Amino acid sequence: MSVSKNVAFLGLGVMGFPMAGHLARNGHKVTVYNRTTAKAETFAAQQQGAKWAATPRQAAAGADLVFTCVGNDDDLRSVTLGPDGAFAGMTEGAIFVDHTTASAQIARELYAEAKSRGLGAIDAPISGGQAGAENGALTVMCGAEPEIFARAEPVIASYARACRLMGPPGAGQLTKMVNQITIAGLIQSLSEALHFAKASGLDAAAVMDLLKNGAAQSWQMENRTKTMLAGEFDHGFAVEWMRKDLAICLAEARRNGAKLPVAALVDQFYAEVEAMGGKRWDTSSLFARLEK
């Protein structure tokens, strides 16, 4: 366990709430902020010694590290900038750690603003889903200056299975884009494979049970085959969130010249899933589109 720190956590969604809990249980003094105050009050009541604050600025006052896990670029600006933003409450030498999946542009923008105030900043998007957050087993991909990362990593370890510095500010978000591009292709190919197996008269579950021992194995195959075949999609990472992430990937590709034909196509498929009423279905619901 790292040395106890005063920390603030802004954003208590399905990821942030358990992550902040791990910080508290690892001996850190946690102050939380959430747009819906009731959630912050609930957290403070559940975690001994935890407090809640009415504004990001108040939560960040006196904190060694300020963590955020919110929705998008605009949400990040709203909790960090302005008179009630976290940056206004942070003291020189404190570190800002953002776990939001957002653009590399906002990561660099907030890094520059933090640096001008004598603060450190890390873009640190996460992978592992709600289960990873609850079990303290997230993968954290970071963009930062090495010295800032070294100071923050022992605290991030409270809820991380793996945490790695990927490069300068923005590199964490770019790495998360690679992650989402990979997942989009994997889920679509797994959906097509299951659809093909069923159409061929094979026992799709038995096929996947065999193939998971070979080169086709993936996390998606291990963890989503049964639920996909059962038509169960009320869990996991929502389609609307994946579409937000793919939009970030495609926008970045337009800037850097990368070609993402599969990611662009899968995004269109997810739009069809949304039209089926699947906005909050798990991303594995690409299978439902093929089976309709």
Side-chain angles (χ1 to χ4, degrees):
M1 186 179 75
S2 63
V3 175
S4 178
K5 300 287 186 181
N6 291 319
V7 304
F9 205 106
L10 317 179
L12 300 175
V14 295
M15 303 295 284
F17 198 101
M19 291 165 71
H22 284 294
L23 288 167
R25 287 188 293 276
N26 274 270
H28 301 295
K29 297 172 184 175
V30 182
T31 301
V32 296
Y33 164 81
N34 195 67
R35 227 169 5 189
T36 306
T37 303
K39 217 166 191 180
E41 292 175 329
T42 298
F43 180 90
Q46 288 181 0
Q47 299 292 338
Q48 187 174 3
K51 302 175 183 177
W52 68 275
T55 67
R57 178 175 183 163
Q58 290 172 10
D64 301 303
L65 297 99
V66 175
F67 298 88
T68 50
C69 191
V70 293
N72 55 39
D73 288 21
D74 289 340
D75 293 330
L76 267 174
R77 291 187 182 96
S78 74
V79 297
T80 55
L81 307 177
D84 286 326
F87 285 1
M90 294 172 71
T91 53
E92 189 172 344
I95 299 174
F96 168 68
V97 182
D98 176 40
H99 291 305
T100 308
T101 295
S103 70
Q105 288 176 300
I106 188 68
R108 296 179 187 120
E109 176 187 323
L110 293 180
Y111 162 77
E113 178 63 26
K115 194 171 181 65
S116 74
R117 295 169 177 261
L119 308 172
I122 305 175
D123 52 292
I126 48 183
S127 180
Q130 185 176 350
E134 291 171 351
N135 296 325
L138 292 169
T139 296
V140 187
M141 43 213 94
C142 299
E145 296 169 333
E147 182 267 335
I148 297 298
F149 172 79
R151 286 169 53 200
E153 193 276 332
V155 183
I156 295 172
S158 297
Y159 44 78
R161 176 179 60 187
C163 180
R164 184 168 177 178
L165 179 62
M166 304 308 298
Q173 294 296 352
L174 293 170
T175 302
K176 181 61 184 286
M177 292 176 211
V178 174
N179 185 76
Q180 301 306 76
I181 292 164
T182 304
I183 289 173
L186 280 170
I187 297 175
Q188 177 61 22
S189 63
L190 178 59
S191 298
E192 291 182 16
L194 290 171
H195 179 64
F196 179 87
K198 287 182 66 179
S200 301
L202 293 169
D203 181 336
V207 170
M208 292 301 155
D209 192 54
L210 175 64
L211 296 187
K212 71 182 184 182
N213 298 298
Q217 189 274 340
S218 70
W219 186 96
Q220 299 295 336
M221 182 183 287
E222 289 272 8
N223 292 275
R224 292 291 181 258
T225 293
K226 288 182 180 178
T227 51
M228 290 166 78
L229 290 172
E232 297 172 357
F233 306 111
D234 58 345
H235 58 267
F237 193 67
V239 165
E240 66 174 334
W241 300 342
M242 185 58 149
R243 291 209 71 206
K244 181 211 81 170
D245 292 357
L246 287 175
I248 292 170
C249 297
L250 294 168
E252 186 65 34
R254 287 191 290 273
R255 281 189 287 271
N256 67 21
K259 300 174 180 65
L260 303 180
V262 174
L265 188 60
V266 172
D267 182 55
Q268 293 176 34
F269 293 160
Y270 276 130
E272 293 180 28
V273 174
E274 287 186 325
M276 292 167 59
K279 200 171 187 180
R280 298 308 299 268
W281 292 352
D282 179 68
T283 48
S284 61
S285 57
L286 285 173
F287 181 62
R289 173 187 163 272
L290 295 174
E291 292 284 293
K292 67 179 179 179

